[in-house]
């Protein structure tokens, strides 16, 4: 066990000693993955969707914070959607603008969730962002997760109906797709409910005063989301989506375990009950110590 703790501490020290470098790598990686997802699903503009262009944009994004990367990815997406259909791009832009306004009203700081949730959705695991936000953020970030989920489902609908949108003889309109395949689609509401329920369960449990609260929050959040989505697939006769749901939830649980391993370092075997008082109150405090390993004293002898 000590070996794993020492490995984690070594990784932390290594990352912190090169924090700026890793932030640049992270921004470039998020940008590159996002550009590849756009290229694979909405690569309708041949100029922007070229592989070498994506590499150049990703390198430029390395010098931007993650919020700036999300704006650049949004611009690239809108350029591709304009090539598909101007109306599709207008609706997407409207959703993004409304999302930013809602996040600003509720003081959500991680607005990049509106981009990262659709990216994770394309991999079949959008719940990673709901779990991560519930573990790492405050309650305000629920708005960015919900807005990102709405945008992700809209892009999913557009992708599934690309052929009908391109076909000039088809009478399919973007507004009718939003009306019929989003607002009147029960799976859309099951998806939004699952994302919200997962965030709330994880957020409330990880703040509770129970042992192993993060791990319990991780397991409970995945279980609640899985039950809601499973019920949705069964009620809408989409049983073929269940294997992908199971695989996605395994990935989500693994990500939650990794976050718990690298971020939280509490030793629940040495919990202490502390009592003290002042002029007005008597306090009962539960203190959970952090895991700390004594540094090895290495003595070098010269012969």
């Amino acid at each position: 066990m000590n070996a794993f703790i020492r490995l984690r501490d070594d990784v932390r020290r290594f990352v912190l000693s090169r924090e700026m470098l890793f932030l640049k790598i992270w921004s470039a990686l998020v940008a590159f993955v996002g550009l590849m997802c756009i290229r694979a699903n909405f690569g309708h503009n041949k100029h922007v969707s070229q592989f070498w262009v994506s590499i150049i944009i990703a390198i430029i994004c390395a010098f931007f914070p993650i919020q700036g990367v999300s704006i650049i990815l949004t611009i690239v997406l809108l350029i591709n959607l304009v090539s598909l259909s101007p109306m599709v791009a207008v609706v997407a832009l409207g959703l993004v603008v409304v999302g930013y306004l809602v996040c600003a009203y509720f003081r959500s700081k991680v607005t990049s969730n509106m981009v990262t949730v659709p990216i994770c959705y394309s991999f079949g695991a959008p719940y990673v962002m709901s779990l991560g936000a519930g573990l790492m953020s405050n309650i305000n970030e629920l708005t960015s997760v919900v807005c990102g989920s709405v945008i992700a489902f809209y892009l999913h609908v557009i992708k599934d109906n690309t052929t009908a949108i391109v076909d000039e003889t088809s009478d399919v309109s973007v507004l009718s797709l939003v009306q019929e395949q989003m607002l009147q689609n029960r799976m859309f509401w099951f998806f939004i409910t699952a994302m919200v329920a997962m965030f709330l369960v994880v957020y409330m449990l990880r703040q509770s005063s129970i042992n192993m609260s993060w791990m319990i929050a991780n397991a409970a959040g995945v279980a609640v989301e899985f039950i809601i989505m499973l019920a949705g697939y069964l009620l809408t006769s989409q049983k073929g989506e269940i294997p992908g749901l199971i695989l996605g939830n395994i990935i989500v649980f693994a990500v939650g375990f990794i976050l718990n391993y690298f971020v939280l370092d509490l030793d629940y075997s040495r919990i202490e009950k502390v009592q003290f008082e002042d002029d007005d109150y008597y306090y009962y405090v539960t203190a959970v110590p952090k895991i700390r390993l004594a540094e090895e004293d290495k003595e070098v002898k010269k012969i």
Side-chain angles (χ1 to χ4, degrees):
M1 184 64 182
N2 289 346
F4 289 103
I5 297 173
R6 187 168 288 109
L7 174 63
R8 182 197 60 192
D9 292 341
D10 291 340
V11 172
R12 281 179 174 179
R13 282 192 292 269
F14 180 78
V15 172
L16 289 175
S17 65
R18 298 165 175 82
E19 184 177 4
M20 293 303 299
L21 175 62
F22 277 95
L23 287 176
K24 291 180 179 180
I25 293 174
W26 175 247
S27 295
L29 181 62
V30 171
F32 182 74
V33 173
L35 290 169
M36 289 298 100
C37 292
I38 295 173
R39 184 170 180 262
N41 299 305
F42 304 101
H44 303 289
N45 189 297
K46 296 182 179 180
H47 300 290
V48 178
S49 299
Q50 294 186 40
F51 184 76
W52 65 271
V53 174
S54 299
I55 294 178
I56 293 176
I57 295 176
I59 294 174
I60 295 174
C61 287
F63 300 93
F64 287 85
I66 196 66
Q67 310 288 11
V69 173
S70 64
I71 294 175
I72 293 176
L73 290 177
T74 301
I75 294 173
V76 174
L77 174 64
L78 292 174
I79 292 174
N80 281 278
L81 292 181
V82 167
S83 300
L84 172 64
S85 169
M87 192 60 188
V88 171
V90 169
V91 175
L93 178 61
L95 292 176
V96 172
V97 172
V98 170
Y100 273 104
L101 292 176
V102 171
C103 290
Y105 180 80
F106 288 99
R107 298 182 180 179
S108 173
K109 297 180 179 179
V110 192
T111 53
S112 57
N113 286 332
M114 291 195 296
V115 172
T116 52
V117 171
I119 292 175
C120 293
Y121 192 99
S122 65
F123 290 103
Y127 320 105
V128 167
M129 299 310 304
S130 182
L131 176 73
L135 288 175
M136 305 289 292
S137 306
N138 56 39
I139 192 66
N140 303 55
E141 302 310 324
L142 177 60
T143 55
S144 63
V145 172
V146 173
C147 292
S149 301
V150 173
I151 295 173
F153 204 92
Y154 170 75
L155 295 177
H156 171 70
V157 170
I158 296 302
K159 177 188 173 184
D160 289 346
N161 294 273
T162 298
T163 304
I165 295 173
V166 174
D167 189 0
E168 297 180 355
T169 61
S170 175
D171 58 351
V172 174
S173 66
V174 178
L175 296 180
S176 66
L177 290 176
V178 172
Q179 177 70 23
E180 297 173 4
Q181 299 194 24
M182 283 188 65
L183 300 180
Q184 296 179 0
N185 186 355
R186 287 188 294 175
M187 272 313 305
F188 170 71
W189 298 108
F190 273 107
F191 173 61
I192 299 298
T193 303
M195 294 289 284
V196 172
M198 186 181 204
F199 179 95
L200 293 177
V201 168
V202 172
Y203 177 78
M204 289 187 292
L205 286 178
R206 65 100 168 174
Q207 286 195 322
S208 61
S209 58
I210 57 178
N211 294 355
M212 308 298 292
S213 59
W214 276 44
M215 290 302 298
I216 295 174
N218 183 18
V222 171
V224 168
E225 170 267 316
F226 178 78
I227 292 172
I228 294 175
M229 291 301 297
L230 180 64
Y233 286 136
L234 292 176
L235 291 175
T236 56
S237 301
Q238 300 183 44
K239 297 180 181 180
E241 303 290 339
I242 295 178
L245 176 66
I246 296 174
L247 179 60
N249 277 271
I250 292 174
I251 296 174
V252 173
F253 184 82
V255 170
F257 181 82
I258 293 172
L259 285 175
N260 181 77
Y261 174 69
F262 280 103
V263 176
L264 202 66
D265 55 352
L266 300 181
D267 186 357
Y268 290 98
S269 64
R270 297 189 294 118
I271 295 178
E272 300 176 7
K273 301 291 184 178
V274 182
Q275 302 178 23
F276 57 93
E277 63 178 310
D278 58 17
D279 294 337
D280 300 315
Y281 296 96
Y282 200 91
Y283 301 92
Y284 297 88
V285 179
T286 300
V288 184
K290 293 184 177 182
I291 299 174
R292 289 292 182 267
L293 295 180
E295 294 291 336
E296 296 181 357
D297 294 329
K298 296 181 180 179
E299 183 179 354
V300 179
K301 294 183 178 181
K302 294 183 179 180
I303 302 175

